[in-house]
Amino acid sequence: SEGIASHRRRERLWVTKNLRDMAEMVVGLITRLSRNVSLDRSSNSKVDVQLLRLRGAVEHDDLATMRTEILSAVETIGIALKERDERQRSEMEAISRQLEALKNELTHTRKEMALDGLTRLYNRASLDEHMDSVASIAVLSGRAACLLMIDIDHFKKVNDTWGHQAGDAVLRAVADMLVKSFPRKSDFVGRYGGEEFAVVLGEDGAATAHMLSERLLERIHGMALAWEDTEIRVTVSIGIAPFHEDGSVKDWIERADKALYQAKSEGRDRIIEAALPGQQQTDSASCLCSAGIPR
């Protein structure tokens, strides 16, 4: 859609700008280090000249002349070394500040690259990486895990009725509700794409997933987004897939997506749980009709 395309353009501009800013920081750091090395070479050259002067001084037969040359050379060397030490200390402090700034920028950029620009949830790449990790841990430890695929019902009608800015506001509102509904450290909330979200429960089985999904449906029912002179209300459909150790992450996603598709086809605003081998599929329905948006 136009809203998603615009969002992607903003993301690309953000990445381009941050890459350019980071490149400028690195170039500045390299320039400072190069200048420091150059100044060190210059300082060493001065010291080398005075060392040659000292060697020449010992060849004098006149004690007074030797003494004068040695004292002058030693004083010059002392001044050069002191200046170098002070400059190096100052330069190292400046370089340390630049390195810290670069480190902070890299940390910030890495975090930003893991987030969806519109909703501030984790993006698809972060979701894929996290699911691989959860699946590996589940296989090794036997720990339960569940995937929830969540889709906003009739989202296109929101865009068609109130415009793409209203659609973006709805996406952000649902994203905020997801974060509030799944606040634990073991809960991973991400934007799968478009109006579809994913929640990975890294330590819970189907029963807990179902309970939390029902709570989410209720909270979405109670959510009213003020827009211009009206309120926008939406519902969501949810597909639940418990992790199955004999299947791949791809299979895990497909089972959750299939359950979500069934929830949509059976009337939306409901939960469908994908069955594990040998189990029967279960569902839970609830409905709240809002003016202006058919379910």
Side-chain angles (χ1 to χ4, degrees):
S1 71
E2 181 183 338
I4 295 173
S6 175
H7 171 59
R8 292 292 175 247
R9 285 194 294 271
R10 291 195 299 269
E11 279 188 335
R12 285 195 294 271
L13 287 172
W14 182 89
V15 171
T16 301
K17 180 183 181 301
N18 275 268
L19 287 174
R20 184 172 61 249
D21 291 346
M22 218 175 310
E24 289 176 358
M25 292 179 71
V26 172
V27 169
L29 181 60
I30 292 172
T31 300
R32 182 177 286 276
L33 287 169
S34 298
R35 184 179 63 186
N36 199 33
V37 170
S38 177
L39 290 172
D40 279 346
R41 287 173 179 167
S42 176
S43 178
N44 289 338
S45 296
K46 291 179 181 179
V47 172
D48 288 342
V49 169
Q50 297 306 313
L51 289 175
L52 288 173
R53 187 178 177 185
L54 281 175
R55 292 191 186 99
V58 298
E59 297 176 358
H60 285 284
D61 294 332
D62 184 359
L63 183 59
T65 302
M66 181 187 298
R67 180 176 178 276
T68 300
E69 285 291 303
I70 291 174
L71 286 175
S72 177
V74 167
E75 183 179 359
T76 302
I77 290 173
I79 292 172
L81 292 177
K82 183 178 179 181
E83 289 178 347
R84 185 175 68 179
D85 288 345
E86 290 177 351
R87 177 181 51 76
Q88 285 183 336
R89 182 167 55 252
S90 176
E91 284 294 308
M92 286 302 106
E93 289 175 356
I95 289 171
S96 294
R97 288 194 296 270
Q98 283 186 286
L99 286 171
E100 187 64 24
L102 182 58
K103 176 184 174 183
N104 291 338
E105 183 66 22
L106 286 169
T107 301
H108 173 72
T109 301
R110 181 180 179 184
K111 181 178 179 180
E112 286 295 315
M113 292 292 285
L115 298 178
D116 173 68
L118 177 65
T119 63
R120 310 307 293 165
L121 300 179
Y122 286 107
N123 58 27
R124 177 65 184 277
S126 300
L127 174 66
D128 291 341
E129 182 180 346
H130 183 74
M131 289 190 66
D132 286 338
S133 176
V134 169
S136 297
I137 293 173
V139 169
L140 291 173
S141 66
R143 180 184 297 172
C146 261
L147 171 63
L148 281 60
M149 297 296 287
I150 302 158
D151 188 84
I152 302 174
D153 297 326
H154 296 293
F155 182 72
K156 184 177 183 299
K157 293 185 181 296
V158 174
N159 285 329
D160 292 344
T161 304
W162 291 287
H164 291 288
Q165 289 187 345
D168 288 348
V170 168
L171 287 170
R172 286 191 291 266
V174 172
D176 290 344
M177 185 59 72
L178 283 168
V179 172
K180 292 175 183 176
S181 299
F182 299 93
R184 301 171 303 174
K185 289 184 178 180
S186 58
D187 300 338
F188 186 96
V189 183
R191 185 180 181 187
Y192 191 74
E195 66 270 25
E196 193 169 353
F197 302 89
V199 176
V200 182
L201 305 179
E203 299 178 354
D204 297 299
T208 300
H210 211 95
M211 180 269 292
L212 294 175
S213 295
E214 289 177 344
R215 185 179 69 180
L216 176 63
L217 283 186
E218 292 175 1
R219 289 182 172 182
I220 296 293
H221 285 170
M223 188 178 74
L225 177 66
W227 188 260
E228 296 178 347
D229 57 349
T230 188
E231 286 186 343
I232 301 176
R233 293 180 179 271
V234 296
T235 60
V236 297
S237 298
I238 304 175
I240 299 175
F243 176 72
H244 182 46
E245 62 180 12
D246 293 333
S248 64
V249 170
K250 181 181 178 182
D251 295 332
W252 193 14
I253 294 174
E254 286 179 352
R255 287 193 296 111
D257 212 38
K258 184 177 179 181
L260 172 62
Y261 179 80
Q262 184 176 342
K264 304 285 279 189
S265 65
E266 290 186 5
R268 299 178 172 82
D269 187 25
R270 67 191 63 225
I271 304 161
I272 295 292
E273 179 185 329
L276 289 171
Q279 293 181 341
Q280 288 187 341
Q281 195 152 281
T282 60
D283 70 309
S284 172
S286 64
C287 181
L288 179 68
C289 295
S290 304
I293 305 179
R295 299 292 173 237

